[in-house]
Amino acid sequence: MFAPRPYSLAARAAIATGLVLAGFLGLVGLTLSRANHESALNNLHDRLQNYVIAYLAGTEVSRYGKLLPPDAPPDPSFSQPGSGLYAVVLGDKGFRWESSSAIGRDFSFLKPLAPGENRFVGPVETRMGRLYYYAFGVAWDVPDKKPLRLTFMVAQSENQFEGENAVYRRTLVGMLSILGVMLIALQLLLLRWSLTPLRKVATDMARVERGKSDHLDSQYPLELIPLTDRINAFIDSEREQRTRTRNTLADLAHSLKTPLAVIRSRLESASEAPALRADVLDQVRRMDELVAYQLARAATSGRQTFASAVPVAGHAEDLVRSLEKVYAAKNVLCEFEMEEGAAFYGEQGDLLELMGNLLENAFKWASHRVLLVVKVEPQPGRQRPGLWLSVEDDGPGIADDQIEKVLQRGVRGDERVQGHGIGLSIVQDIVKAYRGELTVDRSPELGGARFSVNLPAS
């Protein structure tokens, strides 16, 4: 089952910061909106109360007890029918006075209040829609008569009140959105700056993997120094281990080959029975081949995380010049088709063993021509490109049913051709160590055998 790719550190931080910021700005917006609503409600209460006081101040009662409203209302909206701002006065014995804006409106929900009593209510459902109103009860003294009980009421529609709040909310949302975008952009810049050392570590690691640097040698923050020091120590340890292994194998080769050479020399010069000498020499030869094979196999470094880039072109030319001298009698011409910058990421000895065995095999079997092809195969997402290498000759080729046999250790394609029969086996071991693939088929251009090695990108 396909596992989803984990988020990067920058993506995780950006998502977490975005969610926290959205929650914080949402809470701030809700708090400010509620605070503004309460403030607007208090302002509405004060405004309606002031209108009532203005009507009280401008109203007079005649000596006969008749109510005389002010000539000019405290706000022009009271004179405009359906303006949303209404004034109503209720009195004893069904008395009722309404402002011009309230004519034809239904205020049956109003109830007279006792003198000194006040009430701020809203919003209430009415036939005219939802209203806020302030009412105040008074007892008006009339000479030689009972006090006139009146209830002054001023109402405002909810649409006007909510309209003012809606403008504030839209402005608030716009400002918080702009602030949120600015904060997110600033946070992304801060994240990019904060994660720069980690990106630097990744870049330096890639340089080490490509063989362009020996260590992580940049300046890092204090928090990363223990990590980079341990990585450098691991690189040094890996290289030291390879060096010790090569030195140990070289010492072993020297220790084994010298006694074998002495034994062979003595046997060849001794006057022992020819049959015994032949048997011993044969066993010595086999021991020599076995030592050579095992040393070559053990010396194969294989795929390495921090390998240097070994150029292919120069080593290929050196190998071909040497082989041309060895096989000068055959007058073999070796041609190159090599991409510029082709490199082998591994030990130089592995490259020399790989190409040397394939080229020597081709020179043995070729009639006159050998072709070496080297291609670079980059792969997206990989630091080091793959390498495709093939060696072709114009010899007799290898039958399909003989390919598996030829690739076995100690088997030669023709017993009449000199060799130990371990070259191709060594090639297979090296290719396997580098997680590559070796294929054998017929050369489409020269007609002989073609040995192709494909080393994957890493």
Side-chain angles (χ1 to χ4, degrees):
M1 184 176 180
F2 176 75
R5 184 178 180 180
Y7 291 110
S8 65
L9 292 178
R12 290 170 183 266
I15 292 173
T17 303
L19 292 176
V20 172
L21 185 61
F24 173 75
L25 292 180
L27 184 61
V28 169
L30 181 61
T31 302
L32 292 177
S33 180
R34 293 179 69 87
N36 177 75
H37 184 272
E38 294 297 328
S39 176
L41 202 59
N42 291 332
N43 291 336
L44 177 62
H45 171 271
D46 294 341
R47 185 167 64 252
L48 297 182
Q49 185 181 40
N50 291 335
Y51 285 151
V52 168
I53 293 174
Y55 268 108
L56 280 172
T59 299
E60 296 181 359
V61 178
S62 68
R63 59 186 298 180
Y64 301 107
K66 184 178 179 181
L67 184 69
L68 301 175
D71 295 333
D75 190 285
S77 297
F78 288 106
S79 301
Q80 301 174 8
S83 64
L85 192 61
Y86 315 107
V88 178
V89 179
L90 302 180
D92 296 333
K93 299 179 181 179
F95 175 80
R96 183 188 187 94
W97 177 86
E98 298 176 346
S99 64
S100 299
S101 60
I103 295 176
R105 305 287 173 172
D106 182 11
F107 291 93
S108 58
F109 58 90
L110 292 176
K111 303 297 180 184
L113 300 181
E117 183 182 358
N118 67 85
R119 181 180 298 170
F120 177 69
V121 182
V124 294
E125 295 287 349
T126 69
R127 295 180 180 179
M128 300 172 289
R130 293 161 66 89
L131 296 177
Y132 290 90
Y133 71 88
Y134 178 82
F136 183 68
V138 299
W140 204 290
D141 291 333
V142 179
D144 301 329
K145 289 188 177 182
K146 291 174 56 176
L148 182 62
R149 294 164 60 94
L150 299 173
T151 299
F152 285 78
M153 188 278 294
V154 174
Q156 179 176 316
S157 67
E158 185 187 39
N159 292 337
Q160 289 185 332
F161 175 72
E162 290 299 329
E164 297 173 359
N165 286 339
V167 172
Y168 174 81
R169 284 194 294 269
R170 286 195 297 270
T171 304
L172 179 64
V173 170
M175 294 301 295
L176 289 179
S177 299
I178 294 175
L179 177 62
V181 172
M182 293 176 61
L183 289 176
I184 290 175
L186 178 61
Q187 181 65 27
L188 292 177
L189 291 176
L190 291 175
L191 280 174
R192 183 173 181 82
W193 176 76
S194 301
L195 295 176
T196 297
L198 291 179
R199 287 195 295 271
K200 182 62 176 174
V201 171
T203 301
D204 291 346
M205 287 284 291
R207 288 177 55 83
V208 173
E209 291 181 5
R210 290 194 297 266
K212 296 183 178 180
S213 179
D214 292 333
H215 294 91
L216 305 180
D217 52 6
S218 298
Q219 297 295 324
Y220 304 106
L222 292 176
E223 295 82 359
L224 293 180
I225 289 178
L227 172 64
T228 55
D229 286 347
R230 284 171 173 79
I231 292 175
N232 284 332
F234 173 75
I235 295 173
D236 291 336
S237 175
E238 184 186 34
R239 289 173 178 165
E240 291 173 1
Q241 181 64 36
R242 291 203 307 269
T243 302
R244 285 195 300 269
T245 302
R246 286 197 299 268
N247 292 338
T248 301
L249 293 174
D251 294 340
L252 177 61
H254 178 75
S255 300
L256 292 176
K257 282 183 171 293
T258 300
L260 289 174
V262 171
I263 293 172
R264 174 180 291 177
S265 176
R266 294 294 301 272
L267 287 173
E268 289 176 348
S269 61
S271 59
E272 302 290 340
L276 175 61
R277 186 169 62 251
D279 290 341
V280 175
L281 284 173
D282 184 62
Q283 295 302 318
V284 170
R285 179 183 61 79
R286 289 181 180 273
M287 291 171 63
D288 191 28
E289 293 176 2
L290 182 60
V291 169
Y293 171 69
Q294 294 296 342
L295 288 177
R297 182 178 181 184
T300 300
S301 300
R303 183 177 179 181
Q304 304 164 21
T305 303
F306 306 104
S308 301
V310 181
V312 177
H315 295 294
E317 292 172 358
D318 292 341
L319 287 170
V320 169
R321 277 196 294 267
S322 300
L323 291 171
E324 285 177 343
K325 294 177 182 179
V326 174
Y327 294 92
K330 298 182 67 173
N331 194 26
V332 176
L333 173 65
C334 184
E335 304 173 56
F336 294 93
E337 290 183 8
M338 195 174 305
E339 291 189 3
E340 184 178 357
F344 173 80
Y345 291 91
E347 285 296 318
Q348 177 178 314
D350 293 342
L351 175 63
L352 295 177
E353 282 285 345
L354 179 65
M355 286 199 305
N357 281 293
L358 291 178
L359 286 170
E360 184 178 9
N361 186 73
F363 269 77
K364 285 180 182 179
W365 291 96
S367 297
H368 298 291
R369 293 179 61 193
V370 172
L371 174 63
L372 173 63
V373 180
V374 180
K375 297 180 180 179
V376 179
E377 296 186 332
Q379 183 176 342
R382 299 290 185 177
Q383 296 291 340
R384 301 181 293 191
L387 185 69
W388 192 85
L389 181 149
S390 72
V391 178
E392 307 175 31
D393 62 68
D394 60 348
I398 304 174
D400 293 342
D401 58 352
Q402 294 295 315
I403 290 177
E404 184 176 353
K405 178 182 178 182
V406 169
L407 294 179
Q408 295 177 3
R409 184 180 69 86
V411 176
R412 299 196 295 269
D414 190 336
E415 295 296 332
R416 295 170 296 177
V417 179
Q418 185 180 1
H420 294 161
I422 63 172
L424 293 180
S425 183
I426 293 175
V427 170
Q428 289 186 90
D429 288 339
I430 296 175
V431 172
K432 184 178 180 181
Y434 284 86
R435 303 179 188 177
E437 182 181 5
L438 172 66
T439 57
V440 182
D441 57 5
R442 185 167 292 277
S443 170
E445 182 173 346
L446 302 183
R450 178 173 66 174
F451 291 81
S452 303
V453 174
N454 184 19
L455 301 179
S458 59

